[in-house]
Amino acid sequence: MIKRALSVTREDDFAQWYQTVIAEADMAEESGVRGCMVIRPWGYGIWERMQRLLDDRIKAAGHENCYFPLFIPLSYFEKEAEHVEGFAKEMAVVTHHRLIADGKGGLMPDPSAKLEEPLVVRPTSETVIGAAFARWVQSWRDLPVLINQWANVVRWEMRTRMFLRTSEFLWQEGHTAHASETEAREHTLRMLEVYRSFAEEDLGLPVVAGEKPEHERFPGAVATYSIEAMMQDGKALQAGTSHFLGTNFSEAQGIRFQNAEGQLELAQTTSWGVSTRMIGGVIMVHGDDDGLRVPPRIAPHQIVIVPMLRDAPEDAAIVDYCDKLAGVLRGLHAFGEPVRVLFDKRAVKAAPKRWGWVKKGAPIIVEVGGRDVAGGNVSVVRRDRLYREDGKLDSAIVAQADFVADAAEMLVEIQHGLFAEAKARLEANITRGVTDFTGIEAAFAEGNKAPGWVEIAWSRPTGAALDAVVERLKDLKLTMRNAPLDGGPVEGACPLTGEPAVERILIGRSY
Amino acid sequence: MIKRALSVTREDDFAQWYQTVIAEADMAEESGVRGCMVIRPWGYGIWERMQRLLDDRIKAAGHENCYFPLFIPLSYFEKEAEHVEGFAKEMAVVTHHRLIADGKGGLMPDPSAKLEEPLVVRPTSETVIGAAFARWVQSWRDLPVLINQWANVVRWEMRTRMFLRTSEFLWQEGHTAHASETEAREHTLRMLEVYRSFAEEDLGLPVVAGEKPEHERFPGAVATYSIEAMMQDGKALQAGTSHFLGTNFSEAQGIRFQNAEGQLELAQTTSWGVSTRMIGGVIMVHGDDDGLRVPPRIAPHQIVIVPMLRDAPEDAAIVDYCDKLAGVLRGLHAFGEPVRVLFDKRAVKAAPKRWGWVKKGAPIIVEVGGRDVAGGNVSVVRRDRLYREDGKLDSAIVAQADFVADAAEMLVEIQHGLFAEAKARLEANITRGVTDFTGIEAAFAEGNKAPGWVEIAWSRPTGAALDAVVERLKDLKLTMRNAPLDGGPVEGACPLTGEPAVERILIGRSY
């Protein structure tokens, strides 16, 4: 048995392993503020890379970034009943705008500075952005409006888990208004496809894109689509959503335009978002028992150079050799961008430094000792192939020139390898062809540690019939994930209702 | 008299002109939420460019980005008396975490969901970041800690003005902890220099870097430094601040470390910030009576191509010509980055389109009509030289190849020209050699529309003597801006106190 860098394995306790990776990789920590975390440099650096890559994709799809207020007056929410119903239970409310001494050596909200109308800290911005759209849109010539914002939002959570569920989180929320339903529906799906390609190509996360069932729709949406990723414990993570909102919000906020025929119409709107939650997905898909493995496209440092110093005279030559190597590597390009290289000069011994980067998941770690300098070599550790078959660390001594020639391609190979590994796991863990409820129960029988998902052909019930199905699945701790867009034709009876099946749907446990 | 693009000139009414530029350039607008604005794509695009350039400088100075909670418990503030004293009057306070129906068809905070400890929406993050530093720092080996965050902050303002003073604003706040006072003081000044070079080189804003007088220090700081920019009405805008905090926050938050000799010491901390306020400075320094002029380094689009279409068969050739031109221009580099080019294909007539970009301040506008296509030419309008001497728009017809050959250099020239113009104005509007109070009064006499600043040599009084001086200046609506770092030696008596002068200080009206 190989000794691993973490104190707990995925097999032992997946939830504990997840927290351990976050702690050992210095990604985030509890802040001391209920439900809020501190995102540390390695975690935030990954988020910055994700932001840059997704922002490029969002802009390429024609959107511009804006910024809207953090605070939303209560009256904005009152206009869209379903929407407020969905969020009222988890809203942080600002009621005062000043503090005064409480007479006991502490502070308290000043009763004389109570707001006339309380303000909600935005849980999402459809209402306040809808109000802006109403100002911006008069004529069909003003449409479409395609905007996006990067912001923090707050949804008060009682049980929190780092990255996956925190009271405050960071996200982007796109909002668009269109002249026709067809165009708005197409845009909803276009952005879902942007999320799919971002997840798969940039994060190496294979996902299933599909439509959420009626009861899982965003509050106020006509249709909600998601990308769902499978974690290594078989559970699903909803990693991004795209909503067709119809005229629900334009009616509430008054987004009306004169069409080409001179008649007044309501605009058709969409919204879509991806959050820091996705970092949790990266951890649970790519992590292993030695920590995180960061896909090179989103790694803050793709290659980390660790000098093996010994407080000896030869140290100067090693540092000089590493400096030059870093310079050469920075001149390379991978994925159309300059390679990101860190020469880690911290006053920390080489072994803990190497293992620190293993746990953080830097894609390539290059070690340089006196012998490497003498021989013009480097010792290369690939995070995706950490051990040899005999269980020893796989550190390959190669000529510096050879490594430099191969480094960019190696990064691409690691990116593709991580995706392929996760894709194979996803495929292997979707059980298809289940036609009765017993089959569902069997797939999720106790003792099955990573049961994955079951795909069935269902009848897409609504109302009370849907409620009954949701309850029956809930007893097995199961939820419907989404109806895959590329589900293909179906036949036979729905194992949940007995009615004729109309589409495929994925069922699983979830985060 | 030349007819200008705006309805109001700087000369007529500077405050009204400022609001008009923001509205006509589509930079921002009132949001309907008290004290909060909506930053529209052109305003936000400028902010994104500023963020990217300043972030690069902050990272080059060794900092990493993190993210800390939006909410800060009251108890964190209670620990640093001066700090809370400075901010208590303008804090937004969250007291509830749920809404319920108010029985009158509306919503209200749920009395059963009152927070045990109210949370403050961060006005600045020294307290919560200090608490994190206390967790991170144990030994001298953990120092320095050099971090930064990009975030929104809230300071409740009664009188707001777009970009300059809003209840919510966007900023970066850097926070560092050091083992020695010398190192922390040096770092405070290093970041001030980062701000100076960012303002001057990237934004084209000439500034004076100096130390704020005692009564203008950040609440809880030992020393506060600022960069001050002069607006076209002669008023000062504090455009960035850097604070040496000594051990005030490390004592309050318990940031202690074991030094190399094994003794426990308090860390020395700094903080420094720049906000969306700086966009207001860009407007008031570079704007003219036709709108904004955006320095090319921060322009979202540096070159905008406007096709002169006539709903005629030749339109297709114009569009094709413009497409190719855009492609060629995008292959150019200016300031070490690819040139940012927009081919504006919107269904808007050419003249309003051109004037829209003039008001937004795009550095170069290229118009292409049928005759240009036939002759292989383009019509070039430079935003910094909009009119000829005869008052006509200065649109130069040049061969496309010549324009392409010159475009990158032209952008650099515009950047330098805007800076040089503002620098000359700054120098011309600082009155030096004033040695008595009458001289100060004369400089700011009524009817002087843009009095600029007065530099005096003062005695740097403290306590009650300083209060008296502050009051005396306040009667003239004047404030002390900063004591320039490169002030040079002084002699004679202070015109404010009669005591021997010890340093130079700038006095002026301010935003």
Side-chain angles (χ1 to χ4, degrees), chain A residues 133-204:
Chain A
F133 282 10
R135 294 191 297 272
W136 299 352
V137 173
Q138 268 95 44
S139 144
W140 62 273
R141 285 187 193 84
D142 302 323
L143 294 170
V145 179
L146 308 174
I147 65 105
N148 177 61
Q149 89 169 344
W150 290 93
N152 53 345
V153 285
V154 171
R155 298 178 188 176
W156 203 265
E157 296 284 355
M158 285 304 163
R159 262 169 292 172
T160 61
R161 195 183 292 204
M162 274 194 275
F163 292 114
L164 300 176
R165 195 175 295 277
T166 49
S167 288
E168 181 191 10
F169 58 91
L170 305 180
W171 79 346
Q172 62 66 221
E173 49 179 321
H175 296 266
T176 68
H178 306 263
S180 79
E181 177 174 340
T182 309
E183 188 186 304
R185 283 188 181 272
E186 278 171 8
H187 201 80
T188 309
L189 291 174
R190 180 173 311 136
M191 296 319 294
L192 187 72
E193 169 57 18
V194 165
Y195 287 164
R196 187 206 59 76
S197 54
F198 166 64
E200 300 202 329
E201 296 162 16
D202 294 337
L203 313 188

Side-chain angles (χ1 to χ4, degrees), chain A residues 29 39 48 52 59 65 67 70 78 88 91 93 95-99 107 135-136 152 168, chain B residues 29 39 48 52 59 65 67 70 78 88 91 93 95-99 107 135-136 152 158 168:
Chain A
E29 66 186 18
I39 308 181
E48 283 183 298
R52 179 89 46 121
K59 284 183 175 145
N65 286 336
Y67 188 75
L70 171 68
E78 290 161 358
M91 281 179 177
V93 192
T95 54
H96 294 76
H97 63 80
R98 195 187 306 143
L99 295 176
L107 296 163
R135 294 191 297 272
W136 299 352
N152 53 345
E168 181 191 10
Chain B
E29 66 186 16
I39 308 181
E48 284 182 298
R52 179 92 43 126
K59 284 182 175 145
N65 286 337
Y67 189 75
L70 171 68
E78 290 162 358
M91 281 178 176
V93 192
T95 54
H96 295 74
H97 63 80
R98 195 187 306 144
L99 294 176
L107 296 163
R135 293 192 296 272
W136 299 352
N152 54 345
M158 285 305 164
E168 182 192 10

